[in-house]
Amino acid sequence: MRRLLPATLLVSAGAIGYELLLMRTLSIVQWHHFAYMIISLALLGYGASGTFIALFRHRLEARFGAAFAASALLFSITMLVCFALGQRLPFNALEIVWDPQQLAYLSLIYLVFFVPFFFAALCIGLALTCRRAEISRIYFFDLFGAGLGAVFVIAAMFAVTVQNALLLLLALPLTASALMALRSSARVPLIAAQLAWLALIFAGVPHRHLDLQVSEYKGLSQALQVLDSRVIGVSSSPLGLLTVVESPTVAIRHAPGLSFNTRHIPPDQLGVFTDGDSLSAITRFDGELDSLAYLADVTAALPYALLGEPDVLVLGAGGGNDVLLGLFHGANSIDAVELNPQMTELVEKTYAEFAGFLYDDPRVTVYTKEARGFVAQTDSQYDLIHIGLLDSVSAAGAGVHSLNESYIYTVEAIREYLEHTAPGGVLAITRWLKLPPRDSLKLVATAIAALRSMGVSDPGQQLAVIRSWNTSTVLVKDGALTADDVDAIREFAHSRSFDTAWVPGIGASDANRFNILDQAYLYDGTVALLSEQANEFVERYKFYVAPATDNRPYYFHFFKWATLPEVIALRKVGGAALIEWGYLILIATLVQAAIAGLVLIVLPLWRVERDWPAGTTSRMGSYFLLLGFAFLFVEMAFIQKFILFLSHPLYAVAVVLSAFLIFAGLGSAGSACLARRLEARGRSPIVAVAGGIALLSVLYVTLLPLLFKRLIGYGDLTRIVISVVMIAPLAFSMGMPFPLGLKHVARTAPAFIPWAWGINGFASVMSAVLATLLAIEFGFTFVVLFALLLYGIAAKILTSSGYSSLSV
Amino acid sequence: MKVLACLLLFVSGVACAAEADYALARAALIDELELYARQAHGRDDIRIDGPALAAMARVKRHKLVPASERRFAYRNRPLPIGYGQTISQPYIVALMTELIEPDGDDVVLEVGTGSGYQAAVLAELVKHVYSIEIIAALAIRAEQDLRELGYQNITTRLGDGYYGWEEHGPFDAIVVTAAATHVPPPLIAQLKPGGRMVIPVGSRFMTQQLLLLEKTDKGEVITRQIAPVRFVPLTGEH
């Protein structure tokens, strides 16, 4: 026991660390959505481990120490091997719509990454099965280890590259293996194997194979194919892998939304790729504004046609182009907000000379903060708040099961921006334009909703929308646009051959003149959204364009089931781009997880000889299934809510995830003691716990928004402490149901323990995806309330099973 | 000797059989595309039933894709050709070819040779095609493949297509398959009045739209953004 508990902690830390690391890696070498899918299914290793233990329980129990040590060693080895192997499988995500063989490669990838998680979960499952007397303490060390591991790996990824973080991580289960091998029956071969592995790592043999294999179809790979281009700098952190590319022969020329009337060409640029894609350019600036003349001819320059010497806030500064845009147009001051400090460093220090010492300009002040958080905490008022082609870094980048959320483009966010514009000031947001319009229309809908919520009766008077062939810029003014404003907008658009999709007083004939669409979709859509028939329009539009809110912050979600048959049928005639892949991938993940779960757990469970009282399978199986769902539903919903409060996706994940895990662990450790005390007073522990969870959840769901508003002004550290204090009691209660149930099983049906572990693990995988799907449809509040219902049912099941802690 | 003769006969027989198979597959592809052409009624901008299909019926697409992809050469889908590039979906190639309204006297510029397929299709229809490729390996391979296929009216070079190919301009039509965030102003300058430029927009495997740029006789530029499918984003009347 002295060695088992720390060994459990180490394995658990390694497992969550590996999960977060893989998420980061797969986001770099593949795409975000696939990273999410692959990890979700790999975590089925947890579910499968339960089945394995159940099937071989007697043999494993007899050699518990050796089994644990071997499993931990295999975890360490496969962590590295699978990391290298998984990236070398010829999987091309983009070909999935065309080539069914890609699905086979995808399945292979799941399998490859499944293996390390299988071994990790095997260790912990074994501990819970074979050392039943200490279930609460083991589970505590499991959760506590996970909490520590999350913080450890996120911190490590700031300091070292992903590959080096991997090497640090695999030391954890290796140590666990050593601890457990020392007194085991097979200690000699085990220790020999451990030493051999250690020698292999130090001898450097594996290191070459750890290079990241970025897909050849990502922007970075494509840029590097170009004659004479090369990588000149790399910065790595959990916020993204930044790769700086220089292309002397064929210039980078990144100028989205540039008019085709322009006589100006972008000067030399350095390309900064985030996670192999998402190009942001650092433009050469020698102090001569003339060299930046092209910046006058992009759609994003629209607001400057209305303002003279404005005080500007740039959200998402990136490589600095929006700051240059401001300086070119004579801004009085520019506050530039950028989340990734390494990105800022590239412009401010590493390539400062190339960038013309842009951030040293007395008019420019740079803030390293998350965009929405900065706005919430500042008292400043701006003449222009500029958001250009910003896709937010979601928590998914940090590895939590989340996808697509963005707090930058919700109704509440737009309101907050408008509350920080000076009278007569302007909010300008530029987005890529898709055909038919999707996020441009949703942005218009969101702006209209925000204005209406501020009491504006005629939002159309404050709105302007222009488009080029690939970007659209939406302008929202604090106050009605004057006749002069409208003239300036028309003149700006006309002279650059941009179309005006909306301006007060626009006529239909104005809307589709230069970049002709077969129908003036953006104009028609804006007119409809401003009219009384806005709701009908949103219903009838084949993409989901209802505004995102803080409770349902899925701005990038456009999928409608009704559209699917039509767009699938249109695939062959060039309609593949109409399909909203993100959502389909989520659904596919859920379906695959369900099938895998059936095969890995339900089927074996059904077939195996049952060494336990009748009714256990259905009752306790349901109990652990429900717990697996409920725990993750609450955890994920609150992570999302706290992301807004902590306003930094990474700190939010690190703090909230770790706090949840650590306090749940403490709750687990205290569960036995609490159970005895409650029963001594004749109260059912599980009912008390479920009641506590329900009470706290409902309290938080109602009070948190108000509390957050009040407390958001405080510093980072204060808010982290507040968050931890708020999470503690809830997480503490949530840590109890699992060990309470498991101890009951230990007493009445010990052979069922591995199944319980497996079912719970399987439920966690399904629930991560389900939580996202439910949040997309109904919002986070619903997810929490639904989870409470599940806790209630679980409590009922356990009480009716005759649970009693007194006989333990 | 006899064995050698038999072997040669066998191998050439196999080769002929293979070529015949490809020819059949090519014909089947054209039939499939003709079917789609008939379904595009009501929209002039996505017709593909002009000379494009006839030209595509003559181009040996399978000789322009890597050996590993040859068996998919006549499927109506994009294929990887290495170096992160693709050969476009035949339907899209047909659409782009029709959009520039090729004429026997035309001189056409292509920026982004890739596999050389689009250049070959155009070469069947116009006087001369000038094609620029930015990735060395692809430029070399395409030049070789097109020469082997016997095209005399295609000139390729390795280089930066942003500035076009001034010594051979101005051009009756320009096709830009290289990805860019904006339309290069020098290319617009090298388009003849009355000329058309087509730019596919989207990712390598999914074309989102086709940008058609027309220069009027007076030198003004208008663009049309053409979705390759007939898809109305609203249900019901609008």
Side-chain angles (χ1 to χ4, degrees):
Chain A
M1 209 24 84
R2 257 182 332 151
R3 280 186 305 280
L4 176 60
L5 296 176
T8 305
L9 184 140
L10 287 167
V11 170
S12 190
I16 206 175
Y18 192 59
E19 184 193 336
L20 293 174
L21 190 86
L22 267 191
M23 191 70 202
R24 197 79 285 288
T25 305
L26 290 172
S27 297
I28 297 170
V29 306
Q30 286 284 345
W31 281 268
H32 196 90
H33 292 102
F34 283 96
Y36 176 83
M37 186 188 215
I38 290 165
I39 308 274
S40 298
L41 291 163
L43 288 174
L44 286 170
Y46 273 74
S49 71
T51 306
F52 185 83
I53 296 172
L55 295 174
F56 300 104
R57 189 166 60 92
H58 297 292
R59 263 172 286 184
L60 291 169
E61 201 153 5
R63 302 174 192 73
F64 169 66
F68 188 108
S71 196
L73 178 61
L74 284 167
F75 176 34
S76 181
I77 296 172
T78 53
M79 248 198 205
L80 192 146
V81 169
C82 296
F83 181 89
L85 188 61
Q87 289 184 64
R88 282 165 173 77
L89 291 170
F91 170 61
N92 178 15
L94 299 177
E95 268 190 271
I96 271 197
V97 64
W98 303 110
D99 182 10
Q101 195 179 22
Q102 293 298 331
L103 292 170
Y105 289 132
L106 189 57
S107 310
L108 261 175
I109 293 189
Y110 298 153
L111 208 62
V112 164
F113 288 118
F114 166 97
V115 173
F117 291 112
F118 173 79
F119 287 123
L122 196 59
C123 293
I124 304 178
L126 271 174
L128 290 169
T129 306
C130 306
R131 295 290 179 267
R132 306 186 261 292
E134 298 288 329
I135 280 177
S136 307
R137 289 216 295 161
I138 293 172
Y139 196 55
F140 163 67
F141 275 86
D142 173 25
L143 291 176
F144 190 66
L148 288 181
V151 175
F152 170 70
V153 86
I154 290 177
M157 289 197 282
F158 270 105
V160 299
T161 62
V162 156
Q163 295 95 309
N164 287 333
L166 175 70
L167 292 173
L168 285 173
L169 268 181
L170 56 81
L172 300 176
L174 188 59
T175 313
S177 178
L179 281 173
M180 291 305 287
L182 285 171
R183 286 289 191 89
S184 83
S185 48
R187 94 178 73 110
V188 171
L190 277 170
I191 294 183
Q194 288 159 8
L195 289 173
W197 177 234
L198 205 60
L200 208 62
I201 299 171
F202 274 108
V205 168
H207 292 209
R208 287 184 278 112
H209 303 301
L210 294 183
D211 286 340
L212 296 180
Q213 313 283 312
V214 180
S215 162
E216 62 181 302
Y217 298 102
K218 287 192 105 170
L220 173 62
S221 306
Q222 307 237 313
L224 291 174
Q225 290 291 350
V226 170
L227 215 48
D228 301 330
S229 67
R230 63 196 187 97
V231 174
I232 58 172
V234 176
S235 312
S236 178
S237 84
L239 289 168
L241 177 74
L242 300 178
T243 315
V244 186
V245 172
E246 174 187 63
S247 189
T249 305
V250 180
I252 287 180
R253 305 183 189 114
H254 182 72
L258 185 62
S259 161
F260 54 72
N261 275 351
T262 190
R263 283 183 232 285
H264 311 288
I265 286 169
D268 258 353
Q269 289 174 330
L270 294 175
V272 183
F273 291 91
T274 305
D275 288 347
D277 241 351
S278 306
L279 175 62
S280 180
I282 301 177
T283 304
R284 185 191 287 283
F285 182 44
D286 52 9
E288 292 298 321
L289 286 177
D290 289 343
S291 64
L292 301 176
Y294 81 103
L295 286 174
D297 294 337
V298 295
T299 57
L302 175 66
Y304 293 100
L306 306 179
L307 304 164
E309 296 185 5
D311 290 317
V312 182
L313 171 63
V314 168
L315 294 177
N321 268 357
D322 289 337
V323 175
L324 282 175
L325 185 69
L327 289 179
F328 179 79
H329 287 95
N332 185 44
S333 74
I334 304 177
D335 283 352
V337 176
E338 168 57 48
L339 176 63
N340 189 344
Q342 291 181 342
M343 177 71 90
T344 305
E345 192 180 333
L346 290 177
V347 182
E348 198 167 32
K349 297 205 175 76
T350 325
Y351 304 105
E353 198 184 329
F354 184 90
F357 302 100
L358 182 63
Y359 287 171
D360 289 341
D361 190 302
R363 291 165 287 179
V364 179
T365 318
V366 183
Y367 296 91
T368 301
K369 273 200 161 289
E370 189 268 336
R372 179 90 186 263
F374 176 86
V375 174
Q377 291 167 357
T378 187
D379 290 322
S380 306
Q381 298 264 302
Y382 298 94
D383 298 310
L384 168 62
I385 298 185
H386 183 106
I387 306 179
L389 295 174
L390 178 64
D391 289 325
S392 59
V393 178
S394 79
V400 182
H401 307 282
S402 54
L403 209 57
N404 281 351
E405 325 79 33
S406 165
Y407 288 104
I408 295 187
Y409 300 115
T410 63
V411 173
E412 293 90 335
I414 306 264
R415 254 189 93 130
E416 236 170 87
Y417 303 144
L418 289 171
E419 281 162 7
H420 285 83
T421 45
V426 151
L427 166 67
I429 303 179
T430 303
R431 301 274 332 141
W432 293 107
L433 181 68
K434 284 201 207 141
L435 285 186
R438 261 155 278 185
D439 55 339
S440 310
L441 263 184
K442 190 180 263 203
L443 188 58
V444 170
T446 309
I448 293 172
L451 286 169
R452 288 205 202 275
S453 77
M454 292 165 85
V456 174
S457 54
D458 191 359
Q461 294 299 315
Q462 297 180 217
L463 194 66
V465 182
I466 65 168
R467 63 179 171 87
S468 66
W469 63 270
N470 63 350
T471 60
S472 67
T473 298
V474 175
L475 210 78
V476 186
K477 184 169 173 173
D478 181 13
L481 289 161
T482 64
D484 286 338
D485 287 337
V486 172
D487 286 340
I489 293 169
R490 284 187 198 269
E491 158 59 26
F492 176 87
H494 195 288
S495 58
R496 292 157 180 78
S497 301
F498 296 143
D499 283 283
T500 316
W502 177 265
V503 102
I506 188 174
S509 59
D510 292 333
N512 202 14
R513 293 171 56 192
F514 302 106
N515 303 281
I516 300 173
L517 305 170
D518 64 40
Q519 203 185 308
Y521 296 118
L522 198 51
Y523 166 75
D524 287 346
T526 308
V527 166
L529 288 168
L530 285 168
S531 73
E532 309 265 296
Q533 286 81 40
N535 289 335
E536 281 92 53
F537 174 78
V538 168
E539 279 294 314
R540 280 168 46 215
Y541 203 69
K542 287 180 184 167
F543 298 103
Y544 188 77
V545 292
T549 61
D550 283 350
N551 190 40
R552 286 171 73 189
Y554 293 96
Y555 178 77
F556 297 103
H557 172 67
F558 305 107
F559 185 91
K560 272 192 175 179
W561 282 105
T563 316
L564 187 64
E566 187 182 353
V567 295
I568 293 266
L570 289 175
R571 218 164 35 109
K572 287 278 175 140
V573 283
L578 292 169
I579 301 172
E580 291 293 328
W581 290 102
Y583 195 77
L584 272 183
I585 287 169
L586 263 185
I587 302 286
T589 309
L590 190 67
V591 169
Q592 288 173 85
I595 294 173
L598 272 166
V599 168
L600 289 171
I601 297 159
V602 176
L603 235 56
L605 185 55
W606 187 47
R607 304 284 303 155
V608 89
E609 201 183 293
R610 293 182 202 182
D611 211 358
W612 49 73
T616 306
T617 318
S618 53
R619 261 191 275 114
M620 295 318 291
S622 311
Y623 179 80
F624 288 102
L625 189 74
L626 291 170
L627 277 195
F629 281 114
F631 186 100
L632 232 91
F633 279 5
V634 176
E635 187 192 48
M636 281 183 60
F638 279 106
I639 284 177
Q640 290 303 331
K641 286 185 182 286
F642 276 94
I643 280 178
L644 201 49
F645 180 54
L646 290 167
S647 62
H648 189 300
L650 215 51
Y651 297 157
V653 165
V655 167
V656 178
L657 185 63
S658 303
F660 247 103
L661 291 168
I662 291 173
F663 283 103
L666 288 169
S668 161
S671 64
C673 180
L674 183 74
R676 274 195 296 276
R677 293 221 186 143
L678 283 171
E679 292 225 327
R681 294 182 208 176
R683 316 264 294 277
S684 162
I686 188 65
V687 169
V689 167
I693 295 173
L695 186 66
L696 284 167
S697 299
V698 169
L699 208 66
Y700 283 176
V701 154
T702 13
L703 291 182
L704 277 183
L706 302 153
L707 269 172
F708 284 171
K709 253 195 129 75
R710 281 296 216 75
L711 301 170
I712 195 127
Y714 290 97
D716 280 347
L717 197 57
T718 318
R719 280 178 293 127
I720 288 175
V721 170
I722 294 174
S723 304
V724 172
V725 165
M726 287 202 269
I727 290 167
L730 181 61
F732 190 85
S733 341
M734 282 168 62
M736 299 203 202
F738 184 86
L740 284 177
L742 208 59
K743 293 184 85 169
H744 177 65
V745 169
R747 196 172 40 84
T748 57
F752 192 74
I753 292 180
W755 293 110
W757 170 247
I759 289 170
N760 191 262
F762 160 70
S764 308
V765 173
M766 294 272 288
S767 69
V769 183
L770 252 184
T772 307
L773 287 171
L774 287 174
I776 288 175
E777 285 309 312
F778 305 111
F780 294 125
T781 305
F782 174 85
V783 174
V784 173
L785 296 175
F786 187 63
L788 298 182
L789 179 66
L790 297 181
Y791 269 124
I793 300 173
K796 184 83 178 73
I797 291 175
L798 197 58
T799 31
S800 66
S801 307
Y803 174 83
S804 161
S805 71
L806 294 176
S807 42
V808 166
Chain B
M1 200 57 219
K2 257 205 232 175
V3 173
L4 196 60
C6 284
L7 211 59
L8 274 171
L9 211 62
F10 177 74
V11 167
S12 60
V14 167
C16 284
E19 277 304 309
D21 285 338
Y22 286 127
L24 276 172
R26 190 158 63 246
L29 171 67
I30 303 301
D31 285 342
E32 186 187 336
L33 294 177
E34 274 170 356
L35 187 65
Y36 295 138
R38 285 196 285 279
Q39 290 169 349
H41 55 267
R43 273 191 60 184
D44 285 326
D45 53 2
I46 51 173
R47 299 195 78 89
I48 58 168
D49 51 1
L53 289 183
M56 286 167 69
R58 296 192 290 270
V59 177
K60 296 188 176 150
R61 186 176 158 98
H62 64 281
K63 299 243 170 171
L64 295 167
V65 302
S68 57
E69 303 292 334
R70 220 153 263 172
R71 65 191 187 286
F72 303 121
Y74 295 104
R75 300 254 181 102
N76 184 18
R77 53 155 294 195
L79 291 171
I81 58 172
Y83 311 96
Q85 306 302 311
T86 54
I87 178 174
S88 301
Q89 180 185 10
Y91 177 81
I92 298 290
V93 174
L95 204 49
M96 284 173 53
T97 308
E98 287 294 337
L99 280 174
I100 60 166
E101 292 178 350
D103 196 85
D105 293 322
D106 284 350
V107 175
V108 176
L109 173 66
E110 181 188 35
V111 176
T113 318
S115 62
Y117 183 63
Q118 178 78 72
V121 171
L122 287 169
E124 297 278 344
L125 298 169
V126 303
K127 190 164 112 191
H128 204 101
V129 178
Y130 292 94
S131 187
I132 309 176
E133 173 56 54
I134 224 171
I135 297 174
L138 285 180
I140 295 169
R141 190 169 80 191
E143 194 196 6
Q144 196 178 332
D145 288 345
L146 290 169
R147 205 172 345 110
E148 271 169 24
L149 282 173
Y151 286 100
Q152 306 284 341
N153 59 343
I154 303 179
T155 310
T156 61
R157 77 168 168 93
L158 172 66
D160 180 6
Y162 192 86
Y163 292 97
W165 203 331
E166 226 173 330
E167 55 269 37
H168 297 296
F171 300 96
D172 298 284
I174 303 181
V175 176
V176 184
T177 54
T181 55
H182 61 278
V183 182
L187 288 183
I188 301 182
Q190 282 171 35
L191 190 62
K192 278 188 192 160
R196 291 180 154 210
M197 187 188 305
V198 167
I199 307 177
V201 177
S203 76
R204 291 272 149 239
F205 286 89
M206 287 194 228
T207 306
Q208 198 208 144
Q209 57 164 312
L210 295 170
L211 187 66
L212 173 68
L213 196 138
E214 294 173 273
K215 198 183 236 185
T216 66
D217 291 323
K218 282 186 258 163
E220 285 160 354
V221 172
I222 308 176
T223 70
R224 283 202 287 144
Q225 298 178 249
I226 296 166
V229 288
R230 184 177 164 70
F231 177 83
V232 178
L234 281 168
T235 56
E237 342 82 48
H238 45 89

